[in-house]
PDB file of all heavy atoms in Angstrom:
ATOM      1  N   ARG A  46      43.162 160.382 141.806  1.00 91.00           N
ATOM      2  CA  ARG A  46      42.129 160.824 142.737  1.00 91.00           C
ATOM      3  C   ARG A  46      41.524 159.704 143.585  1.00 91.00           C
ATOM      4  O   ARG A  46      41.121 159.923 144.717  1.00 91.00           O
ATOM      5  CB  ARG A  46      41.013 161.528 141.973  1.00 91.00           C
ATOM      6  CG  ARG A  46      41.451 162.825 141.358  1.00 91.00           C
ATOM      7  CD  ARG A  46      40.387 163.395 140.480  1.00 91.00           C
ATOM      8  NE  ARG A  46      40.916 164.512 139.715  1.00 91.00           N
ATOM      9  CZ  ARG A  46      40.289 165.653 139.557  1.00 91.00           C
ATOM     10  NH1 ARG A  46      39.104 165.837 140.094  1.00 91.00           N
ATOM     11  NH2 ARG A  46      40.847 166.607 138.863  1.00 91.00           N
ATOM     12  N   LEU A  47      41.441 158.504 142.999  1.00 90.00           N
ATOM     13  CA  LEU A  47      40.724 157.424 143.686  1.00 90.00           C
ATOM     14  C   LEU A  47      41.629 156.373 144.316  1.00 90.00           C
ATOM     15  O   LEU A  47      41.163 155.564 145.118  1.00 90.00           O
ATOM     16  CB  LEU A  47      39.757 156.744 142.701  1.00 90.00           C
ATOM     17  CG  LEU A  47      38.699 157.661 142.089  1.00 90.00           C
ATOM     18  CD1 LEU A  47      37.898 156.896 141.046  1.00 90.00           C
ATOM     19  CD2 LEU A  47      37.797 158.249 143.167  1.00 90.00           C
ATOM     20  N   GLY A  48      42.884 156.352 143.914  1.00 90.00           N
ATOM     21  CA  GLY A  48      43.817 155.396 144.490  1.00 90.00           C
ATOM     22  C   GLY A  48      43.368 153.956 144.327  1.00 90.00           C
ATOM     23  O   GLY A  48      42.945 153.526 143.264  1.00 90.00           O
ATOM     24  N   ALA A  49      43.416 153.195 145.417  1.00 89.00           N
ATOM     25  CA  ALA A  49      43.119 151.760 145.392  1.00 89.00           C
ATOM     26  C   ALA A  49      41.663 151.457 145.055  1.00 89.00           C
ATOM     27  O   ALA A  49      41.342 150.325 144.681  1.00 89.00           O
ATOM     28  CB  ALA A  49      43.484 151.143 146.722  1.00 89.00           C
ATOM     29  N   ALA A  50      40.760 152.420 145.148  1.00 90.00           N
ATOM     30  CA  ALA A  50      39.351 152.186 144.826  1.00 90.00           C
ATOM     31  C   ALA A  50      39.106 152.161 143.328  1.00 90.00           C
ATOM     32  O   ALA A  50      38.019 151.780 142.875  1.00 90.00           O
ATOM     33  CB  ALA A  50      38.470 153.253 145.470  1.00 90.00           C
ATOM     34  N   PHE A  51      40.095 152.555 142.541  1.00 88.00           N
ATOM     35  CA  PHE A  51      39.945 152.625 141.082  1.00 88.00           C
ATOM     36  C   PHE A  51      40.357 151.308 140.430  1.00 88.00           C
ATOM     37  O   PHE A  51      41.464 150.838 140.613  1.00 88.00           O
ATOM     38  CB  PHE A  51      40.793 153.775 140.524  1.00 88.00           C
ATOM     39  CG  PHE A  51      40.780 153.883 139.025  1.00 88.00           C
ATOM     40  CD1 PHE A  51      39.598 153.957 138.335  1.00 88.00           C
ATOM     41  CD2 PHE A  51      41.975 153.897 138.317  1.00 88.00           C
ATOM     42  CE1 PHE A  51      39.587 154.062 136.943  1.00 88.00           C
ATOM     43  CE2 PHE A  51      41.979 154.009 136.943  1.00 88.00           C
ATOM     44  CZ  PHE A  51      40.786 154.087 136.251  1.00 88.00           C
ATOM     45  N   ASP A  52      39.444 150.732 139.652  1.00 88.00           N
ATOM     46  CA  ASP A  52      39.738 149.516 138.887  1.00 88.00           C
ATOM     47  C   ASP A  52      40.179 149.943 137.483  1.00 88.00           C
ATOM     48  O   ASP A  52      39.354 150.214 136.628  1.00 88.00           O
ATOM     49  CB  ASP A  52      38.498 148.618 138.810  1.00 88.00           C
ATOM     50  CG  ASP A  52      38.763 147.307 138.088  1.00 88.00           C
ATOM     51  OD1 ASP A  52      39.838 147.170 137.457  1.00 88.00           O
ATOM     52  OD2 ASP A  52      37.893 146.427 138.144  1.00 88.00           O
ATOM     53  N   ALA A  53      41.471 149.993 137.257  1.00 90.00           N
ATOM     54  CA  ALA A  53      42.036 150.479 136.003  1.00 90.00           C
ATOM     55  C   ALA A  53      41.953 149.467 134.878  1.00 90.00           C
ATOM     56  O   ALA A  53      42.425 149.730 133.781  1.00 90.00           O
ATOM     57  CB  ALA A  53      43.491 150.901 136.224  1.00 90.00           C
ATOM     58  N   ASP A  54      41.361 148.307 135.115  1.00 91.00           N
ATOM     59  CA  ASP A  54      41.214 147.287 134.075  1.00 91.00           C
ATOM     60  C   ASP A  54      39.861 147.350 133.365  1.00 91.00           C
ATOM     61  O   ASP A  54      39.667 146.705 132.344  1.00 91.00           O
ATOM     62  CB  ASP A  54      41.360 145.885 134.677  1.00 91.00           C
ATOM     63  CG  ASP A  54      42.769 145.581 135.120  1.00 91.00           C
ATOM     64  OD1 ASP A  54      43.710 146.173 134.572  1.00 91.00           O
ATOM     65  OD2 ASP A  54      42.930 144.740 136.025  1.00 91.00           O
ATOM     66  N   LEU A  55      38.927 148.107 133.891  1.00 91.00           N
ATOM     67  CA  LEU A  55      37.543 148.118 133.417  1.00 91.00           C
ATOM     68  C   LEU A  55      37.179 149.480 132.830  1.00 91.00           C
ATOM     69  O   LEU A  55      37.441 150.511 133.449  1.00 91.00           O
ATOM     70  CB  LEU A  55      36.613 147.781 134.582  1.00 91.00           C
ATOM     71  CG  LEU A  55      35.113 147.846 134.373  1.00 91.00           C
ATOM     72  CD1 LEU A  55      34.676 146.891 133.289  1.00 91.00           C
ATOM     73  CD2 LEU A  55      34.402 147.533 135.685  1.00 91.00           C
ATOM     74  N   PHE A  56      36.557 149.471 131.640  1.00 91.00           N
ATOM     75  CA  PHE A  56      36.160 150.704 130.973  1.00 91.00           C
ATOM     76  C   PHE A  56      34.713 150.597 130.536  1.00 91.00           C
ATOM     77  O   PHE A  56      34.309 149.614 129.908  1.00 91.00           O
ATOM     78  CB  PHE A  56      37.045 150.970 129.756  1.00 91.00           C
ATOM     79  CG  PHE A  56      36.790 152.292 129.092  1.00 91.00           C
ATOM     80  CD1 PHE A  56      37.370 153.444 129.575  1.00 91.00           C
ATOM     81  CD2 PHE A  56      35.960 152.374 127.987  1.00 91.00           C
ATOM     82  CE1 PHE A  56      37.135 154.668 128.962  1.00 91.00           C
ATOM     83  CE2 PHE A  56      35.711 153.602 127.372  1.00 91.00           C
ATOM     84  CZ  PHE A  56      36.306 154.741 127.868  1.00 91.00           C
ATOM     85  N   THR A  57      33.909 151.614 130.842  1.00 89.00           N
ATOM     86  CA  THR A  57      32.524 151.703 130.422  1.00 89.00           C
ATOM     87  C   THR A  57      32.359 152.976 129.595  1.00 89.00           C
ATOM     88  O   THR A  57      32.390 154.072 130.160  1.00 89.00           O
ATOM     89  CB  THR A  57      31.566 151.744 131.634  1.00 89.00           C
ATOM     90  OG1 THR A  57      31.819 150.618 132.467  1.00 89.00           O
ATOM     91  CG2 THR A  57      30.119 151.745 131.195  1.00 89.00           C
ATOM     92  N   PRO A  58      32.210 152.878 128.277  1.00 87.00           N
ATOM     93  CA  PRO A  58      32.118 154.086 127.464  1.00 87.00           C
ATOM     94  C   PRO A  58      30.792 154.828 127.666  1.00 87.00           C
ATOM     95  O   PRO A  58      29.755 154.183 127.877  1.00 87.00           O
ATOM     96  CB  PRO A  58      32.223 153.559 126.023  1.00 87.00           C
ATOM     97  CG  PRO A  58      31.791 152.137 126.095  1.00 87.00           C
ATOM     98  CD  PRO A  58      32.142 151.649 127.464  1.00 87.00           C
ATOM     99  N   PRO A  59      30.813 156.164 127.608  1.00 82.00           N
ATOM    100  CA  PRO A  59      29.578 156.940 127.722  1.00 82.00           C
ATOM    101  C   PRO A  59      28.562 156.479 126.680  1.00 82.00           C
ATOM    102  O   PRO A  59      28.910 156.196 125.533  1.00 82.00           O
ATOM    103  CB  PRO A  59      30.028 158.368 127.455  1.00 82.00           C
ATOM    104  CG  PRO A  59      31.451 158.387 127.883  1.00 82.00           C
ATOM    105  CD  PRO A  59      31.988 157.037 127.490  1.00 82.00           C
TER     106      PRO A  59
END
Side-chain angles (χ1 to χ4, degrees):
R46 293 173 190 225
L47 301 175
F51 176 54
D52 183 349
D54 290 334
L55 175 60
F56 185 83
T57 305

